[in-house]
Amino acid sequence: MTDTPLARYADLVGRTVFVSGGATGIGADLVTAFHGQGADVVFVDIDAEGGEALRDRLASQGDAPLFLPCDVTDTPALREAMATAEGRGGGLDVLINNAGNDTRMPLGDVTEGDWARILDVNLKHQFFAAQTACGWMRARGRGSIVNFGSVAPEIPVGNLAVYNACKAAVRGLTRSIAKDMGGHGIRCNAILPGAILTPRQRALWYTDQSAIDAMTALQCLPRELCGRDVAEMALFLASDVSAACTAQDFIVDGGIV
Ligand SMILES: NC(=O)c1ccc[n+]([C@@H]2O[C@H](COP(=O)([O-])OP(=O)(O)OC[C@H]3O[C@@H](n4cnc5c(N)ncnc54)[C@H](O)[C@@H]3O)[C@@H](O)[C@H]2O)c1
């Protein structure tokens, strides 16, 4: 982790930013980073306890972000939460499609029910959230959408076939949204994280230093990556500073080669 203060983007002050899966992991760093910019942050998560704890923690550092418990696989509920964000201030400026679930499963065990569930939590909501946001953003002629892919399909990480299929699809989804919406002033990019050592990753996969060392050895930058590394990229893509960037994948993996 770097000690350098987060970059500051003057245009993000007062912007309304919607973050899915914001209670824990990378999402919590996204919420914290946008809140720190002075943005009006609305975030959703199925983890109500985690979401409320983060909201309360940030409330002591300025205006509290708005947390709404929501399962993003429930499209009407997701749209309703987004409508709350759209109804604040100047409308929804930035959508961060972060929520996901990388539960691993041997190929032979995957049922049709698992397939549907994994697609719902890793792909479906990214499309419907973007579709909903675009309806409002095109009326204002501007907006930035950031989808979450992964480098996992490129490595590829084992026992993640359906998840990896979703994350590979995010790249096509991102380009398609960018193509369809560019004429309306809406940008759409994807962030592809590498091994980001969130509490869940440390609890499940990177449980000891040898596992961490084996991963960081694959990176050109042999250090542990954290959610803040990803948040820095999200701030850049949300800001008008990246006004000429759309339809792109931005890899934050320390240089896995
Ligand atoms: N951590 C990594 O190394 C890594 C690598 C590549 C890609 N990613 C991607 O980055 C994003 C964030 O990953 P993370 O590591 O922080 O994950 P995480 O599991 O630590 O956090 C995900 C958050 O999403 C929430 N969530 C899960 N299902 C939800 C649902 N149905 N409705 C609402 N919220 C839900 C969880 O409660 C949690 O707060 C995901 O899209 C993930 O696929 C992460």
Side-chain angles (χ1 to χ4, degrees):
M1 180 151 70
T2 166
D3 293 331
T4 312
L6 279 169
R8 295 207 69 86
Y9 298 97
D11 63 300
L12 291 181
V13 176
R15 290 265 166 105
T16 301
V17 180
F18 186 91
V19 180
S20 68
T24 65
I26 294 170
D29 285 294
L30 294 167
V31 169
T32 303
F34 280 105
H35 180 260
Q37 298 286 322
D40 179 24
V41 183
V42 179
F43 69 108
V44 294
D45 207 293
I46 40 169
D47 178 354
E49 197 181 329
E52 286 164 9
L54 177 61
R55 177 201 62 203
D56 293 347
R57 196 157 68 245
L58 294 177
S60 64
Q61 301 164 24
D63 293 339
L66 177 64
F67 169 64
L68 300 169
C70 173
D71 181 343
V72 297
T73 69
D74 179 345
T75 304
L78 175 60
R79 287 189 170 130
E80 193 181 326
M82 292 181 67
T84 301
E86 168 66 11
R88 290 160 73 90
L92 181 63
D93 297 296
V94 178
L95 167 66
I96 310 285
N97 276 326
N98 165 75
N101 186 311
D102 68 347
T103 300
R104 299 184 189 184
M105 185 177 284
L107 193 78
D109 291 354
V110 177
T111 65
E112 282 193 285
D114 296 324
W115 170 272
R117 187 176 43 75
I118 297 168
L119 259 69
D120 280 359
V121 74
N122 289 302
L123 186 58
K124 182 183 84 166
H125 71 91
Q126 299 210 41
F127 173 79
F128 284 107
Q131 181 195 58
T132 302
C134 286
W136 299 314
M137 288 173 173
R138 61 187 289 175
R140 282 192 298 281
R142 66 180 174 84
S144 176
I145 297 170
V146 179
N147 294 328
F148 267 70
S150 173
V151 299
E154 312 301 326
I155 298 176
V157 177
N159 289 332
L160 276 175
V162 186
Y163 172 89
N164 282 345
C166 292
K167 293 303 186 178
V170 165
R171 301 177 72 178
L173 176 65
T174 299
R175 282 173 178 69
S176 298
I177 295 168
K179 177 75 177 166
D180 288 349
M181 292 295 135
H184 301 287
I186 301 169
R187 297 184 295 115
C188 184
N189 292 288
I191 294 178
L192 278 53
I196 311 301
L197 294 176
T198 59
R200 176 179 156 88
Q201 297 295 315
R202 287 185 193 276
L204 292 178
W205 317 115
Y206 299 101
T207 50
D208 57 36
Q209 196 57 44
S210 63
I212 294 171
D213 291 345
M215 184 63 229
T216 54
L218 300 176
Q219 301 168 187
C220 296
L221 303 172
R223 71 166 173 88
E224 296 179 17
L225 304 180
C226 62
R228 186 195 142 148
D229 292 310
V230 179
E232 287 276 19
M233 182 61 80
L235 293 176
F236 169 74
L237 293 174
S239 165
D240 294 343
V241 166
S242 60
C245 301
T246 194
Q248 304 301 317
D249 301 323
F250 291 83
I251 297 173
V252 183
D253 71 349
I256 299 174
V257 291

